[in-house]
Amino acid sequence: MENWKKVSCNKIIIGLNVLVFLLVEFTGLSQDTEHMLNWGAAYAPYISNGEYYRLVTCMFLHFGMEHLANNMLLLYVIGEPLERAVGRWRYLMIYFVGGIGGNILSWILEKENPMPPVSAGASGAVFAAVGGIIGVLVKNRGKAEGFTLRQMIIMAALSLYFGFASQGVDNAAHVGGLILGFITALVCSRRKQDSE
């Protein structure tokens, strides 16, 4: 039990994403749109009809191994130090407020689209973790484990740029996640000297 308590929430989230991906692949194909919809991918008309759970379930679904690997690698690199900086519960708050909030923004923008896309992925929540690190850096005057404010701003800007330059990317979820992660971290995290 004590060993379980030492496992980071970030690692548990990564494990859940991998487990869900394997279950999706075992029961069909993760790149089959209809199959992903059955598993809870986001689709604006369904959400508007009351299937709000898709705003959460889509965060644990990925279209193919590359999609999963990219998100989980970035989440591991960013999420671990963020969780150490703010603690388990604040980390979960940043992750889910940013991830769900980004999906809500995406849904609002896609509601009137005559051909709305089916979307899935943890990237809105991953961007929330990026925003969270930036928030911690701002609150601690540029001090956070292994990161500088300049590095993180450049990384966020490049990630957003490549998203907007690519097709089939839910940029609204990325932007919403980044902003909400940043705000949540500013509100809920403590300054380093306050937590010591």
Side-chain angles (χ1 to χ4, degrees), residues 4-117:
W4 178 251
K5 288 180 181 178
K6 292 177 183 176
V7 177
S8 70
C9 289
N10 189 61
K11 286 191 179 81
I12 293 171
I13 288 171
I14 290 171
L16 285 173
N17 274 278
V18 172
L19 176 61
V20 170
F21 179 79
L22 292 174
L23 290 171
V24 171
E25 284 288 308
F26 183 74
T27 56
L29 288 173
S30 62
Q31 294 180 325
D32 179 341
T33 302
E34 195 63 39
H35 186 56
M36 291 288 278
L37 278 171
N38 291 336
W39 271 86
Y43 184 55
Y46 290 0
I47 297 169
S48 297
N49 285 336
E51 296 183 12
Y52 301 114
Y53 66 87
R54 292 179 181 274
L55 296 168
V56 178
T57 54
C58 72
M59 293 167 58
F60 294 90
L61 296 166
H62 291 85
F63 288 106
M65 177 60 81
E66 185 179 352
H67 188 203
L68 174 73
N70 287 341
N71 277 343
M72 294 305 101
L73 179 61
L74 186 55
L75 184 58
Y76 181 77
V77 170
I78 300 296
E80 293 295 310
L82 176 60
E83 184 173 346
R84 285 193 291 270
V86 300
R88 294 166 73 99
W89 296 111
R90 290 183 181 91
Y91 170 77
L92 288 174
M93 190 181 301
I94 291 166
Y95 186 88
F96 283 104
V97 167
I100 295 169
N103 289 336
I104 291 171
L105 176 61
S106 178
W107 164 50
I108 290 169
L109 295 176
E110 293 293 348
K111 277 200 294 188
E112 306 304 322
N113 185 344
M115 295 183 67

Side-chain angles (χ1 to χ4, degrees), residues 86-165:
V86 300
R88 294 166 73 99
W89 296 111
R90 290 183 181 91
Y91 170 77
L92 288 174
M93 190 181 301
I94 291 166
Y95 186 88
F96 283 104
V97 167
I100 295 169
N103 289 336
I104 291 171
L105 176 61
S106 178
W107 164 50
I108 290 169
L109 295 176
E110 293 293 348
K111 277 200 294 188
E112 306 304 322
N113 185 344
M115 295 183 67
V118 174
S119 63
S123 53
V126 173
F127 269 88
V130 173
I133 284 280
I134 294 172
V136 168
L137 285 163
V138 168
K139 200 156 190 178
N140 289 291
R141 298 186 181 129
K143 296 176 184 175
E145 178 188 330
F147 296 102
T148 67
L149 185 57
R150 184 167 177 255
Q151 285 174 334
M152 291 308 302
I153 289 173
I154 290 171
M155 178 183 171
L158 286 173
S159 298
L160 288 175
Y161 169 77
F162 286 121
F164 280 103

